[in-house]
Amino acid sequence: MEKFGIYGKLLAKEGEREQLTAILLEAAESLQNHEDCELYLVSVAPEDPNAVYVYEVWSSESAHQGSLTLESTQRLIQRAKPILAGMERISTLVPRGGKGI
C-alpha cells in the first residue's frame, strides 16, 4: 500500500495566524502516538502573514480519512473554524521515503 501525503495551506483571518498555528501544533501533538501518522509538519511563511502550511504523511489515504473522525481532531477543527478564512490543498502526494518518514 502506498503512503499518502497532503500539502495544504490554511488561511487565518487577519491577526489570527498565531492562534491557528497553535491549534495545528496541538493537532500534531495529539497525533504523536497515532501509528498511521508518519509526519505532521506545521510551518509559516514570513511573506504571508495569514497563511499556515501543513505537510502530512500517512500510512494510507484511509488512515488519514479515519483521523478526521477522531474526537480530538473534531474538537480542534471546531476551535479552528471561527478563525479560518480559507483552505487550499496545494497537492496530494505519494511519499517515497526520506528523513523523517
Side-chain angles (χ1 to χ4, degrees), residues 1-73:
M1 185 177 297
E2 291 185 326
K3 293 182 188 298
F4 178 74
I6 298 176
Y7 185 46
K9 177 180 179 181
L10 292 90
L11 292 173
K13 291 180 180 175
E14 192 71 34
E16 298 287 352
R17 182 174 78 173
E18 291 310 310
Q19 180 63 28
L20 181 57
T21 300
I23 291 169
L24 292 167
L25 288 171
E26 282 184 55
E29 184 64 31
S30 75
L31 294 168
Q32 286 293 328
N33 295 318
H34 194 298
E35 290 181 9
D36 291 316
C37 181
E38 299 184 22
L39 183 70
Y40 192 98
L41 179 65
V42 178
S43 303
V44 296
E47 69 276 359
D48 194 345
N50 298 318
V52 183
Y53 297 84
V54 178
Y55 178 52
E56 303 175 54
V57 176
W58 293 84
S59 62
S60 67
E61 185 172 4
S62 62
H64 171 260
Q65 291 300 319
S67 75
L68 297 174
T69 66
L70 296 172
E71 186 177 327
S72 59
T73 303

